[in-house]
Amino acid sequence: NAGVTQTPKFQVLKTGQSMTLQCAQDMNHNSMYWYRQDPGMGLRLIYYSASEGTTDKGEVPNGYNVSRLNKREFSLRLESAAPSQTSVYFCASTPAIAGGNQPQHFGDGTRLSIL
Amino acid sequence: KNQVEQSPQSLIILEGKNCTLQCNYTVSPFSNLRWYKQDTGRGPVSLTIMTFSENTKSNGRYTATLDADTKQSSLHITASQLSDSASYICVVSAWQAGTALIFGKGTTLSVSS
Protein backbone atom coordinates (compact mmCIF):
# COMPACT_ATOMS: atom_id res chain seq x y z
CA ASN A 1 0.00 0.00 0.00
CA ALA A 2 1.42 3.37 -1.02
CA GLY A 3 -0.61 5.42 1.51
CA VAL A 4 0.36 9.09 1.13
CA THR A 5 2.86 9.92 -1.61
CA GLN A 6 4.67 13.25 -1.80
CA THR A 7 6.74 14.59 -4.67
CA PRO A 8 9.40 15.75 -4.96
CA LYS A 9 11.36 14.43 -1.97
CA PHE A 10 13.98 17.18 -2.17
CA GLN A 11 14.06 20.59 -3.84
CA VAL A 12 16.32 23.61 -3.83
CA LEU A 13 14.90 26.93 -4.97
CA LYS A 14 16.15 30.46 -5.32
CA THR A 15 14.36 33.30 -3.58
CA GLY A 16 11.43 34.45 -5.67
CA GLN A 17 10.97 31.22 -7.59
CA SER A 18 7.70 29.35 -7.49
CA MET A 19 6.94 25.68 -7.17
CA THR A 20 4.18 23.22 -6.38
CA LEU A 21 4.45 20.36 -3.93
CA GLN A 22 2.34 17.40 -4.86
CA CYS A 23 0.49 15.00 -2.55
CA ALA A 24 -1.67 12.01 -3.37
CA GLN A 25 -3.36 9.41 -1.18
CA ASP A 26 -4.83 6.08 -2.20
CA MET A 27 -6.87 5.35 0.95
CA ASN A 28 -10.09 7.07 -0.22
CA HIS A 29 -9.74 9.61 2.61
CA ASN A 30 -11.88 12.71 2.60
CA SER A 31 -9.60 15.07 4.53
CA MET A 32 -6.08 16.16 3.65
CA TYR A 33 -3.56 18.47 5.31
CA TRP A 34 -0.30 20.29 4.70
CA TYR A 35 2.14 20.84 7.56
CA ARG A 36 5.59 22.28 7.88
CA GLN A 37 8.17 20.99 10.35
CA ASP A 38 11.02 23.21 11.49
CA PRO A 39 13.85 22.37 13.90
CA GLY A 40 12.82 22.79 17.53
CA MET A 41 9.16 23.26 16.67
CA GLY A 42 6.14 21.02 16.47
CA LEU A 43 4.40 20.45 13.18
CA ARG A 44 2.37 23.49 12.14
CA LEU A 45 -0.67 23.35 9.94
CA ILE A 46 -0.52 25.40 6.75
CA TYR A 47 -3.78 24.51 5.01
CA TYR A 48 -6.28 21.70 5.13
CA SER A 49 -9.11 20.34 3.03
CA ALA A 50 -11.96 18.79 4.98
CA SER A 51 -13.45 17.31 1.84
CA GLU A 52 -13.13 17.50 -1.92
CA GLY A 53 -13.92 21.02 -3.07
CA THR A 54 -13.12 22.77 0.21
CA THR A 55 -9.93 24.27 1.61
CA ASP A 56 -9.24 26.29 4.74
CA LYS A 57 -6.33 28.12 6.31
CA GLY A 58 -4.42 26.65 9.16
CA GLU A 59 -2.00 28.23 11.59
CA VAL A 60 0.64 29.49 9.10
CA PRO A 61 -0.96 30.04 5.65
CA ASN A 62 0.87 33.20 4.55
CA GLY A 63 2.92 32.71 1.40
CA TYR A 64 1.14 29.52 0.38
CA ASN A 65 -1.80 28.46 -1.74
CA VAL A 66 -3.44 25.06 -2.08
CA SER A 67 -5.59 23.18 -4.53
CA ARG A 68 -7.69 20.12 -3.83
CA LEU A 69 -7.55 18.77 -7.35
CA ASN A 70 -9.78 15.77 -6.63
CA LYS A 71 -10.37 13.41 -3.74
CA ARG A 72 -6.90 11.88 -4.07
CA GLU A 73 -4.71 14.93 -4.65
CA PHE A 74 -3.91 18.03 -2.63
CA SER A 75 -1.16 20.36 -3.82
CA LEU A 76 0.70 23.16 -2.05
CA ARG A 77 2.07 26.09 -4.04
CA LEU A 78 4.72 28.63 -3.13
CA GLU A 79 4.20 31.59 -5.44
CA SER A 80 7.36 33.52 -4.53
CA ALA A 81 9.64 31.46 -2.32
CA ALA A 82 11.37 33.11 0.63
CA PRO A 83 14.23 31.76 2.80
CA SER A 84 11.81 31.60 5.76
CA GLN A 85 9.94 28.88 3.87
CA THR A 86 12.92 26.54 4.08
CA SER A 87 11.42 23.59 5.88
CA VAL A 88 10.25 20.00 5.64
CA TYR A 89 6.70 19.82 4.32
CA PHE A 90 4.40 16.95 5.23
CA CYS A 91 1.11 15.98 3.70
CA ALA A 92 -1.36 13.94 5.74
CA SER A 93 -4.81 12.46 5.31
CA THR A 94 -7.66 11.12 7.45
CA PRO A 95 -10.98 9.45 6.61
CA ALA A 96 -12.75 12.55 7.96
CA ILE A 97 -11.67 15.84 9.47
CA ALA A 98 -9.16 15.30 12.29
CA GLY A 99 -10.72 15.79 15.67
CA GLY A 100 -12.33 12.38 15.61
CA ASN A 101 -10.50 9.31 16.85
CA GLN A 102 -8.73 8.63 13.60
CA PRO A 103 -4.97 8.71 13.09
CA GLN A 104 -3.50 10.94 10.45
CA HIS A 105 -1.51 9.15 7.79
CA PHE A 106 1.57 11.11 6.79
CA GLY A 107 3.74 11.08 3.71
CA ASP A 108 7.51 11.05 4.04
CA GLY A 109 7.90 14.75 3.39
CA THR A 110 9.43 17.17 0.91
CA ARG A 111 12.66 18.78 2.05
CA LEU A 112 12.71 22.28 0.62
CA SER A 113 15.65 24.67 0.76
CA ILE A 114 15.35 28.25 -0.44
CA LEU A 115 18.55 30.15 -1.07
CA LYS B 1 -3.45 29.08 24.93
CA ASN B 2 -3.50 25.45 23.83
CA GLN B 3 -0.08 23.93 24.37
CA VAL B 4 1.61 20.53 24.46
CA GLU B 5 4.90 20.20 26.33
CA GLN B 6 7.09 17.12 26.11
CA SER B 7 9.98 16.01 28.27
CA PRO B 8 12.74 15.20 28.14
CA GLN B 9 13.81 16.88 24.91
CA SER B 10 16.21 14.02 24.24
CA LEU B 11 17.11 10.72 25.84
CA ILE B 12 19.82 8.11 25.39
CA ILE B 13 19.32 4.57 26.69
CA LEU B 14 20.97 1.20 26.29
CA GLU B 15 19.33 -1.48 24.20
CA GLY B 16 17.07 -3.66 26.29
CA LYS B 17 16.30 -0.97 28.85
CA ASN B 18 12.89 0.59 29.48
CA CYS B 19 12.11 4.28 29.28
CA THR B 20 9.21 6.68 29.81
CA LEU B 21 8.47 9.84 27.88
CA GLN B 22 6.24 12.56 29.29
CA CYS B 23 3.61 14.83 27.79
CA ASN B 24 1.76 17.65 29.58
CA TYR B 25 -0.97 19.58 27.85
CA THR B 26 -3.22 22.56 28.33
CA VAL B 27 -5.79 21.93 25.63
CA SER B 28 -9.46 22.59 26.01
CA PRO B 29 -11.92 21.20 25.26
CA PHE B 30 -10.05 17.89 25.10
CA SER B 31 -10.95 15.26 22.51
CA ASN B 32 -8.11 12.76 22.37
CA LEU B 33 -4.37 12.36 22.79
CA ARG B 34 -2.09 10.71 20.26
CA TRP B 35 1.45 9.46 20.24
CA TYR B 36 3.36 9.30 16.99
CA LYS B 37 6.77 7.85 16.15
CA GLN B 38 8.85 9.67 13.57
CA ASP B 39 11.93 7.95 12.18
CA THR B 40 14.66 10.16 10.75
CA GLY B 41 13.72 11.26 7.25
CA ARG B 42 10.22 9.80 7.44
CA GLY B 43 6.75 11.03 8.27
CA PRO B 44 5.13 10.46 11.68
CA VAL B 45 3.38 7.13 12.24
CA SER B 46 0.56 6.72 14.72
CA LEU B 47 1.25 4.56 17.80
CA THR B 48 -1.82 5.13 19.97
CA ILE B 49 -4.91 7.31 20.27
CA MET B 50 -6.64 7.70 23.64
CA THR B 51 -9.91 9.38 24.43
CA PHE B 52 -10.93 11.00 27.68
CA SER B 53 -12.25 7.74 29.13
CA GLU B 54 -9.16 5.64 28.38
CA ASN B 55 -6.36 5.41 30.92
CA THR B 56 -4.03 3.01 29.14
CA LYS B 57 -3.50 1.77 25.62
CA SER B 58 -0.80 -0.54 24.34
CA ASN B 59 0.73 -1.19 20.95
CA GLY B 60 3.27 -3.96 21.25
CA ARG B 61 6.13 -2.74 23.45
CA TYR B 62 4.62 0.75 23.59
CA THR B 63 2.19 1.60 26.38
CA ALA B 64 0.58 5.01 26.65
CA THR B 65 -1.17 6.30 29.76
CA LEU B 66 -3.48 9.24 30.16
CA ASP B 67 -4.52 11.16 33.26
CA ALA B 68 -7.15 13.61 32.05
CA ASP B 69 -7.48 15.17 35.49
CA THR B 70 -3.85 16.27 35.66
CA LYS B 71 -3.60 16.62 31.86
CA GLN B 72 -0.60 14.36 31.65
CA SER B 73 0.31 11.44 29.44
CA SER B 74 3.28 9.13 29.28
CA LEU B 75 4.65 6.72 26.71
CA HIS B 76 6.47 3.74 28.15
CA ILE B 77 8.77 1.71 25.94
CA THR B 78 9.64 -1.76 27.18
CA ALA B 79 12.81 -3.69 26.31
CA SER B 80 14.03 -1.06 23.88
CA GLN B 81 15.49 -1.97 20.51
CA LEU B 82 17.80 -0.10 18.19
CA SER B 83 14.82 0.45 15.89
CA ASP B 84 13.12 2.47 18.63
CA SER B 85 15.58 5.29 17.96
CA ALA B 86 13.28 8.04 16.69
CA SER B 87 11.40 11.17 17.67
CA TYR B 88 8.20 10.59 19.64
CA ILE B 89 5.54 13.23 19.23
CA CYS B 90 2.58 13.85 21.53
CA VAL B 91 -0.45 15.37 19.82
CA VAL B 92 -3.62 16.56 21.50
CA SER B 93 -6.89 17.04 19.68
CA ALA B 94 -9.42 19.62 20.78
CA TRP B 95 -13.10 19.63 19.96
CA GLN B 96 -13.24 22.43 17.40
CA ALA B 97 -14.43 22.90 13.89
CA GLY B 98 -11.86 22.01 11.33
CA THR B 99 -8.49 20.77 12.36
CA ALA B 100 -7.55 21.20 16.00
CA LEU B 101 -4.42 19.11 16.51
CA ILE B 102 -1.79 20.62 18.76
CA PHE B 103 1.63 19.05 18.26
CA GLY B 104 4.38 18.80 20.84
CA LYS B 105 7.98 19.36 19.80
CA GLY B 106 8.86 15.72 20.36
CA THR B 107 11.34 13.71 22.39
CA THR B 108 14.33 12.34 20.53
CA LEU B 109 15.20 8.85 21.72
CA SER B 110 18.51 7.22 20.92
CA VAL B 111 18.96 3.54 21.72
CA SER B 112 22.56 2.38 21.75
CA SER B 113 24.03 -1.12 21.80
mmCIF file of all heavy atoms in Angstrom, chain A residues 42-81:
data_model
loop_
_atom_site.group_PDB
_atom_site.id
_atom_site.type_symbol
_atom_site.label_atom_id
_atom_site.label_comp_id
_atom_site.label_asym_id
_atom_site.label_seq_id
_atom_site.Cartn_x
_atom_site.Cartn_y
_atom_site.Cartn_z
ATOM 1 N N GLY A 42 7.086 22.067 16.846
ATOM 2 C CA GLY A 42 6.140 21.023 16.466
ATOM 3 C C GLY A 42 5.626 21.268 15.056
ATOM 4 O O GLY A 42 5.802 22.356 14.504
ATOM 5 N N LEU A 43 4.998 20.277 14.498
ATOM 6 C CA LEU A 43 4.395 20.454 13.177
ATOM 7 C C LEU A 43 3.356 21.561 13.239
ATOM 8 O O LEU A 43 2.572 21.649 14.191
ATOM 9 C CB LEU A 43 3.721 19.166 12.707
ATOM 10 C CG LEU A 43 4.620 18.143 12.013
ATOM 11 C CD1 LEU A 43 5.431 17.358 13.028
ATOM 12 C CD2 LEU A 43 3.782 17.203 11.148
ATOM 13 N N ARG A 44 3.344 22.388 12.208
ATOM 14 C CA ARG A 44 2.375 23.489 12.143
ATOM 15 C C ARG A 44 1.541 23.353 10.881
ATOM 16 O O ARG A 44 2.079 23.117 9.790
ATOM 17 C CB ARG A 44 3.110 24.834 12.175
ATOM 18 C CG ARG A 44 3.785 25.131 13.510
ATOM 19 C CD ARG A 44 4.451 26.503 13.493
ATOM 20 N NE ARG A 44 5.582 26.556 12.583
ATOM 21 C CZ ARG A 44 6.208 27.669 12.232
ATOM 22 N NH1 ARG A 44 5.796 28.846 12.696
ATOM 23 N NH2 ARG A 44 7.249 27.618 11.409
ATOM 24 N N LEU A 45 0.256 23.529 11.037
ATOM 25 C CA LEU A 45 -0.669 23.351 9.938
ATOM 26 C C LEU A 45 -0.656 24.562 9.029
ATOM 27 O O LEU A 45 -0.810 25.701 9.481
ATOM 28 C CB LEU A 45 -2.075 23.118 10.492
ATOM 29 C CG LEU A 45 -3.167 22.860 9.467
ATOM 30 C CD1 LEU A 45 -2.922 21.518 8.773
ATOM 31 C CD2 LEU A 45 -4.518 22.860 10.150
ATOM 32 N N ILE A 46 -0.529 24.317 7.730
ATOM 33 C CA ILE A 46 -0.521 25.400 6.752
ATOM 34 C C ILE A 46 -1.931 25.583 6.174
ATOM 35 O O ILE A 46 -2.514 26.656 6.259
ATOM 36 C CB ILE A 46 0.477 25.108 5.618
ATOM 37 C CG1 ILE A 46 1.875 24.849 6.177
ATOM 38 C CG2 ILE A 46 0.516 26.281 4.627
ATOM 39 C CD1 ILE A 46 2.854 24.329 5.138
ATOM 40 N N TYR A 47 -2.441 24.530 5.583
ATOM 41 C CA TYR A 47 -3.780 24.507 5.010
ATOM 42 C C TYR A 47 -4.337 23.106 5.183
ATOM 43 O O TYR A 47 -3.599 22.146 5.323
ATOM 44 C CB TYR A 47 -3.749 24.821 3.504
ATOM 45 C CG TYR A 47 -3.869 26.275 3.131
ATOM 46 C CD1 TYR A 47 -2.723 27.046 2.926
ATOM 47 C CD2 TYR A 47 -5.108 26.882 2.957
ATOM 48 C CE1 TYR A 47 -2.817 28.380 2.570
ATOM 49 C CE2 TYR A 47 -5.214 28.221 2.593
ATOM 50 C CZ TYR A 47 -4.057 28.962 2.400
ATOM 51 O OH TYR A 47 -4.154 30.283 2.034
ATOM 52 N N TYR A 48 -5.652 23.008 5.133
ATOM 53 C CA TYR A 48 -6.276 21.704 5.127
ATOM 54 C C TYR A 48 -7.500 21.723 4.218
ATOM 55 O O TYR A 48 -8.018 22.784 3.854
ATOM 56 C CB TYR A 48 -6.652 21.246 6.541
ATOM 57 C CG TYR A 48 -7.732 22.060 7.215
ATOM 58 C CD1 TYR A 48 -9.063 21.626 7.219
ATOM 59 C CD2 TYR A 48 -7.423 23.235 7.882
ATOM 60 C CE1 TYR A 48 -10.049 22.361 7.844
ATOM 61 C CE2 TYR A 48 -8.401 23.977 8.506
ATOM 62 C CZ TYR A 48 -9.712 23.537 8.496
ATOM 63 O OH TYR A 48 -10.689 24.271 9.127
ATOM 64 N N SER A 49 -7.923 20.514 3.871
ATOM 65 C CA SER A 49 -9.111 20.337 3.033
ATOM 66 C C SER A 49 -9.976 19.286 3.710
ATOM 67 O O SER A 49 -9.621 18.117 3.746
ATOM 68 C CB SER A 49 -8.715 19.877 1.635
ATOM 69 O OG SER A 49 -9.849 19.519 0.882
ATOM 70 N N ALA A 50 -11.081 19.717 4.270
ATOM 71 C CA ALA A 50 -11.958 18.786 4.985
ATOM 72 C C ALA A 50 -12.586 17.770 4.042
ATOM 73 O O ALA A 50 -12.820 16.619 4.418
ATOM 74 C CB ALA A 50 -13.032 19.547 5.743
ATOM 75 N N SER A 51 -12.864 18.202 2.832
ATOM 76 C CA SER A 51 -13.448 17.311 1.839
ATOM 77 C C SER A 51 -13.153 17.876 0.459
ATOM 78 O O SER A 51 -12.744 19.040 0.327
ATOM 79 C CB SER A 51 -14.948 17.163 2.047
ATOM 80 O OG SER A 51 -15.584 18.421 1.944
ATOM 81 N N GLU A 52 -13.386 17.063 -0.545
ATOM 82 C CA GLU A 52 -13.131 17.505 -1.916
ATOM 83 C C GLU A 52 -13.932 18.769 -2.197
ATOM 84 O O GLU A 52 -15.117 18.854 -1.886
ATOM 85 C CB GLU A 52 -13.549 16.400 -2.888
ATOM 86 C CG GLU A 52 -13.239 16.690 -4.323
ATOM 87 C CD GLU A 52 -13.630 15.541 -5.236
ATOM 88 O OE1 GLU A 52 -14.096 14.500 -4.720
ATOM 89 O OE2 GLU A 52 -13.473 15.683 -6.461
ATOM 90 N N GLY A 53 -13.255 19.776 -2.739
ATOM 91 C CA GLY A 53 -13.921 21.019 -3.070
ATOM 92 C C GLY A 53 -13.829 22.095 -2.017
ATOM 93 O O GLY A 53 -14.279 23.223 -2.233
ATOM 94 N N THR A 54 -13.251 21.775 -0.856
ATOM 95 C CA THR A 54 -13.116 22.769 0.206
ATOM 96 C C THR A 54 -11.673 22.858 0.674
ATOM 97 O O THR A 54 -10.967 21.850 0.740
ATOM 98 C CB THR A 54 -13.983 22.434 1.429
ATOM 99 O OG1 THR A 54 -13.465 21.268 2.072
ATOM 100 C CG2 THR A 54 -15.423 22.169 1.028
ATOM 101 N N THR A 55 -11.242 24.071 0.997
ATOM 102 C CA THR A 55 -9.929 24.274 1.610
ATOM 103 C C THR A 55 -10.054 25.379 2.650
ATOM 104 O O THR A 55 -10.885 26.291 2.504
ATOM 105 C CB THR A 55 -8.852 24.668 0.579
ATOM 106 O OG1 THR A 55 -9.224 25.891 -0.058
ATOM 107 C CG2 THR A 55 -8.659 23.581 -0.468
ATOM 108 N N ASP A 56 -9.222 25.284 3.686
ATOM 109 C CA ASP A 56 -9.238 26.292 4.744
ATOM 110 C C ASP A 56 -7.838 26.547 5.243
ATOM 111 O O ASP A 56 -6.968 25.668 5.180
ATOM 112 C CB ASP A 56 -10.120 25.832 5.912
ATOM 113 C CG ASP A 56 -11.578 25.937 5.610
ATOM 114 O OD1 ASP A 56 -12.080 27.080 5.590
ATOM 115 O OD2 ASP A 56 -12.210 24.894 5.382
ATOM 116 N N LYS A 57 -7.634 27.751 5.770
ATOM 117 C CA LYS A 57 -6.333 28.125 6.305
ATOM 118 C C LYS A 57 -6.100 27.465 7.654
ATOM 119 O O LYS A 57 -7.005 27.276 8.442
ATOM 120 C CB LYS A 57 -6.254 29.647 6.464
ATOM 121 C CG LYS A 57 -6.331 30.408 5.153
ATOM 122 C CD LYS A 57 -6.284 31.909 5.400
ATOM 123 C CE LYS A 57 -6.364 32.678 4.086
ATOM 124 N NZ LYS A 57 -6.327 34.150 4.300
ATOM 125 N N GLY A 58 -4.833 27.158 7.873
ATOM 126 C CA GLY A 58 -4.415 26.654 9.161
ATOM 127 C C GLY A 58 -3.713 27.737 9.949
ATOM 128 O O GLY A 58 -4.037 28.920 9.845
ATOM 129 N N GLU A 59 -2.703 27.326 10.685
ATOM 130 C CA GLU A 59 -1.996 28.233 11.585
ATOM 131 C C GLU A 59 -1.036 29.180 10.863
ATOM 132 O O GLU A 59 -0.883 30.340 11.233
ATOM 133 C CB GLU A 59 -1.212 27.392 12.612
ATOM 134 C CG GLU A 59 -0.402 28.186 13.625
ATOM 135 C CD GLU A 59 0.424 27.269 14.521
ATOM 136 O OE1 GLU A 59 0.330 26.033 14.374
ATOM 137 O OE2 GLU A 59 1.177 27.802 15.360
ATOM 138 N N VAL A 60 -0.400 28.708 9.790
ATOM 139 C CA VAL A 60 0.635 29.494 9.104
ATOM 140 C C VAL A 60 0.430 29.502 7.593
ATOM 141 O O VAL A 60 1.253 29.009 6.835
ATOM 142 C CB VAL A 60 2.054 28.970 9.464
ATOM 143 C CG1 VAL A 60 2.415 29.300 10.882
ATOM 144 C CG2 VAL A 60 2.155 27.464 9.217
ATOM 145 N N PRO A 61 -0.651 30.104 7.083
ATOM 146 C CA PRO A 61 -0.963 30.040 5.650
ATOM 147 C C PRO A 61 -0.263 31.068 4.762
ATOM 148 O O PRO A 61 -0.247 30.914 3.536
ATOM 149 C CB PRO A 61 -2.468 30.289 5.640
ATOM 150 C CG PRO A 61 -2.671 31.232 6.795
ATOM 151 C CD PRO A 61 -1.693 30.780 7.851
ATOM 152 N N ASN A 62 0.323 32.096 5.358
ATOM 153 C CA ASN A 62 0.869 33.195 4.550
ATOM 154 C C ASN A 62 1.992 32.721 3.645
ATOM 155 O O ASN A 62 2.931 32.057 4.084
ATOM 156 C CB ASN A 62 1.364 34.326 5.457
ATOM 157 C CG ASN A 62 0.227 35.030 6.160
ATOM 158 O OD1 ASN A 62 -0.929 34.905 5.762
ATOM 159 N ND2 ASN A 62 0.539 35.756 7.208
ATOM 160 N N GLY A 63 1.902 33.079 2.374
ATOM 161 C CA GLY A 63 2.921 32.715 1.402
ATOM 162 C C GLY A 63 2.633 31.417 0.669
ATOM 163 O O GLY A 63 3.428 31.009 -0.176
ATOM 164 N N TYR A 64 1.493 30.800 0.980
ATOM 165 C CA TYR A 64 1.141 29.519 0.380
ATOM 166 C C TYR A 64 -0.267 29.562 -0.222
ATOM 167 O O TYR A 64 -1.116 30.309 0.234
ATOM 168 C CB TYR A 64 1.168 28.390 1.421
ATOM 169 C CG TYR A 64 2.461 28.249 2.179
ATOM 170 C CD1 TYR A 64 2.621 28.852 3.424
ATOM 171 C CD2 TYR A 64 3.512 27.497 1.668
ATOM 172 C CE1 TYR A 64 3.802 28.726 4.142
ATOM 173 C CE2 TYR A 64 4.699 27.360 2.378
ATOM 174 C CZ TYR A 64 4.831 27.981 3.615
ATOM 175 O OH TYR A 64 6.000 27.840 4.317
ATOM 176 N N ASN A 65 -0.469 28.717 -1.215
ATOM 177 C CA ASN A 65 -1.799 28.459 -1.736
ATOM 178 C C ASN A 65 -1.953 26.960 -1.926
ATOM 179 O O ASN A 65 -0.960 26.243 -2.073
ATOM 180 C CB ASN A 65 -2.022 29.168 -3.082
ATOM 181 C CG ASN A 65 -2.213 30.662 -2.903
ATOM 182 O OD1 ASN A 65 -3.110 31.106 -2.210
ATOM 183 N ND2 ASN A 65 -1.332 31.444 -3.520
ATOM 184 N N VAL A 66 -3.205 26.495 -1.913
ATOM 185 C CA VAL A 66 -3.442 25.064 -2.076
ATOM 186 C C VAL A 66 -4.536 24.842 -3.109
ATOM 187 O O VAL A 66 -5.345 25.723 -3.404
ATOM 188 C CB VAL A 66 -3.855 24.389 -0.755
ATOM 189 C CG1 VAL A 66 -2.691 24.354 0.226
ATOM 190 C CG2 VAL A 66 -5.070 25.067 -0.147
ATOM 191 N N SER A 67 -4.536 23.616 -3.614
ATOM 192 C CA SER A 67 -5.591 23.180 -4.531
ATOM 193 C C SER A 67 -5.950 21.742 -4.207
ATOM 194 O O SER A 67 -5.052 20.884 -4.134
ATOM 195 C CB SER A 67 -5.121 23.252 -5.991
ATOM 196 O OG SER A 67 -4.871 24.579 -6.377
ATOM 197 N N ARG A 68 -7.236 21.513 -3.977
ATOM 198 C CA ARG A 68 -7.694 20.121 -3.826
ATOM 199 C C ARG A 68 -8.176 19.707 -5.202
ATOM 200 O O ARG A 68 -9.306 19.972 -5.595
ATOM 201 C CB ARG A 68 -8.822 20.040 -2.794
ATOM 202 C CG ARG A 68 -9.288 18.609 -2.544
ATOM 203 C CD ARG A 68 -8.292 17.828 -1.715
ATOM 204 N NE ARG A 68 -8.676 16.462 -1.515
ATOM 205 C CZ ARG A 68 -9.370 16.023 -0.457
ATOM 206 N NH1 ARG A 68 -9.747 16.873 0.488
ATOM 207 N NH2 ARG A 68 -9.653 14.749 -0.348
ATOM 208 N N LEU A 69 -7.323 19.065 -5.949
ATOM 209 C CA LEU A 69 -7.553 18.767 -7.347
ATOM 210 C C LEU A 69 -8.680 17.748 -7.523
ATOM 211 O O LEU A 69 -9.468 17.827 -8.475
ATOM 212 C CB LEU A 69 -6.261 18.240 -7.967
ATOM 213 C CG LEU A 69 -5.054 19.192 -7.814
ATOM 214 C CD1 LEU A 69 -3.777 18.513 -8.291
ATOM 215 C CD2 LEU A 69 -5.293 20.486 -8.570
ATOM 216 N N ASN A 70 -8.740 16.793 -6.655
ATOM 217 C CA ASN A 70 -9.780 15.766 -6.629
ATOM 218 C C ASN A 70 -9.687 15.104 -5.258
ATOM 219 O O ASN A 70 -8.949 15.578 -4.386
ATOM 220 C CB ASN A 70 -9.581 14.758 -7.771
ATOM 221 C CG ASN A 70 -8.150 14.281 -7.868
ATOM 222 O OD1 ASN A 70 -7.607 13.762 -6.884
ATOM 223 N ND2 ASN A 70 -7.515 14.454 -9.018
ATOM 224 N N LYS A 71 -10.391 14.008 -5.059
ATOM 225 C CA LYS A 71 -10.375 13.409 -3.735
ATOM 226 C C LYS A 71 -8.983 12.905 -3.356
ATOM 227 O O LYS A 71 -8.597 12.898 -2.204
ATOM 228 C CB LYS A 71 -11.387 12.262 -3.658
ATOM 229 C CG LYS A 71 -11.621 11.758 -2.255
ATOM 230 C CD LYS A 71 -12.774 10.767 -2.205
ATOM 231 C CE LYS A 71 -13.072 10.387 -0.757
ATOM 232 N NZ LYS A 71 -14.219 9.436 -0.677
ATOM 233 N N ARG A 72 -8.201 12.486 -4.332
ATOM 234 C CA ARG A 72 -6.903 11.882 -4.071
ATOM 235 C C ARG A 72 -5.787 12.903 -3.869
ATOM 236 O O ARG A 72 -4.834 12.633 -3.147
ATOM 237 C CB ARG A 72 -6.498 10.977 -5.228
ATOM 238 C CG ARG A 72 -7.282 9.709 -5.397
ATOM 239 C CD ARG A 72 -6.657 8.851 -6.495
ATOM 240 N NE ARG A 72 -5.299 8.428 -6.165
ATOM 241 C CZ ARG A 72 -4.203 8.845 -6.775
ATOM 242 N NH1 ARG A 72 -4.270 9.751 -7.742
ATOM 243 N NH2 ARG A 72 -3.003 8.385 -6.425
ATOM 244 N N GLU A 73 -5.872 14.053 -4.540
ATOM 245 C CA GLU A 73 -4.709 14.927 -4.650
ATOM 246 C C GLU A 73 -4.918 16.280 -4.000
ATOM 247 O O GLU A 73 -5.967 16.923 -4.166
ATOM 248 C CB GLU A 73 -4.355 15.109 -6.127
ATOM 249 C CG GLU A 73 -4.000 13.805 -6.832
ATOM 250 C CD GLU A 73 -3.835 14.020 -8.326
ATOM 251 O OE1 GLU A 73 -4.845 14.231 -9.016
ATOM 252 O OE2 GLU A 73 -2.674 13.985 -8.783
ATOM 253 N N PHE A 74 -3.871 16.746 -3.316
ATOM 254 C CA PHE A 74 -3.914 18.032 -2.627
ATOM 255 C C PHE A 74 -2.541 18.662 -2.803
ATOM 256 O O PHE A 74 -1.553 18.137 -2.294
ATOM 257 C CB PHE A 74 -4.228 17.785 -1.150
ATOM 258 C CG PHE A 74 -4.504 19.014 -0.333
ATOM 259 C CD1 PHE A 74 -5.187 20.102 -0.861
ATOM 260 C CD2 PHE A 74 -4.113 19.061 0.994
ATOM 261 C CE1 PHE A 74 -5.469 21.217 -0.081
ATOM 262 C CE2 PHE A 74 -4.389 20.178 1.788
ATOM 263 C CZ PHE A 74 -5.066 21.258 1.243
ATOM 264 N N SER A 75 -2.455 19.764 -3.511
ATOM 265 C CA SER A 75 -1.158 20.365 -3.817
ATOM 266 C C SER A 75 -0.948 21.653 -3.020
ATOM 267 O O SER A 75 -1.904 22.336 -2.662
ATOM 268 C CB SER A 75 -1.027 20.638 -5.315
ATOM 269 O OG SER A 75 -2.003 21.587 -5.724
ATOM 270 N N LEU A 76 0.302 21.954 -2.778
ATOM 271 C CA LEU A 76 0.703 23.164 -2.052
ATOM 272 C C LEU A 76 1.622 23.981 -2.947
ATOM 273 O O LEU A 76 2.606 23.458 -3.466
ATOM 274 C CB LEU A 76 1.458 22.782 -0.768
ATOM 275 C CG LEU A 76 1.981 23.946 0.092
ATOM 276 C CD1 LEU A 76 0.827 24.667 0.779
ATOM 277 C CD2 LEU A 76 2.976 23.428 1.141
ATOM 278 N N ARG A 77 1.296 25.250 -3.139
ATOM 279 C CA ARG A 77 2.074 26.090 -4.038
ATOM 280 C C ARG A 77 2.717 27.254 -3.295
ATOM 281 O O ARG A 77 2.059 27.920 -2.473
ATOM 282 C CB ARG A 77 1.206 26.618 -5.182
ATOM 283 C CG ARG A 77 1.997 27.466 -6.187
ATOM 284 C CD ARG A 77 1.255 27.628 -7.481
ATOM 285 N NE ARG A 77 1.979 28.477 -8.407
ATOM 286 C CZ ARG A 77 2.970 28.054 -9.195
ATOM 287 N NH1 ARG A 77 3.361 26.767 -9.154
ATOM 288 N NH2 ARG A 77 3.569 28.888 -10.023
ATOM 289 N N LEU A 78 4.006 27.453 -3.582
ATOM 290 C CA LEU A 78 4.723 28.628 -3.128
ATOM 291 C C LEU A 78 4.846 29.552 -4.326
ATOM 292 O O LEU A 78 5.501 29.211 -5.311
ATOM 293 C CB LEU A 78 6.115 28.257 -2.605
ATOM 294 C CG LEU A 78 6.213 27.567 -1.252
ATOM 295 C CD1 LEU A 78 5.674 26.133 -1.317
ATOM 296 C CD2 LEU A 78 7.659 27.547 -0.766
ATOM 297 N N GLU A 79 4.220 30.689 -4.290
ATOM 298 C CA GLU A 79 4.200 31.593 -5.441
ATOM 299 C C GLU A 79 5.521 32.336 -5.606
ATOM 300 O O GLU A 79 6.015 32.527 -6.697
ATOM 301 C CB GLU A 79 3.059 32.588 -5.311
ATOM 302 C CG GLU A 79 1.676 31.974 -5.453
ATOM 303 C CD GLU A 79 1.382 31.496 -6.875
ATOM 304 O OE1 GLU A 79 2.183 31.778 -7.797
ATOM 305 O OE2 GLU A 79 0.349 30.819 -7.069
ATOM 306 N N SER A 80 6.090 32.780 -4.494
ATOM 307 C CA SER A 80 7.357 33.517 -4.528
ATOM 308 C C SER A 80 8.140 33.096 -3.287
ATOM 309 O O SER A 80 7.952 33.662 -2.203
ATOM 310 C CB SER A 80 7.104 35.025 -4.529
ATOM 311 O OG SER A 80 8.334 35.723 -4.534
ATOM 312 N N ALA A 81 8.978 32.085 -3.464
ATOM 313 C CA ALA A 81 9.640 31.461 -2.320
ATOM 314 C C ALA A 81 10.542 32.437 -1.562
ATOM 315 O O ALA A 81 11.232 33.277 -2.171
ATOM 316 C CB ALA A 81 10.449 30.255 -2.777
#
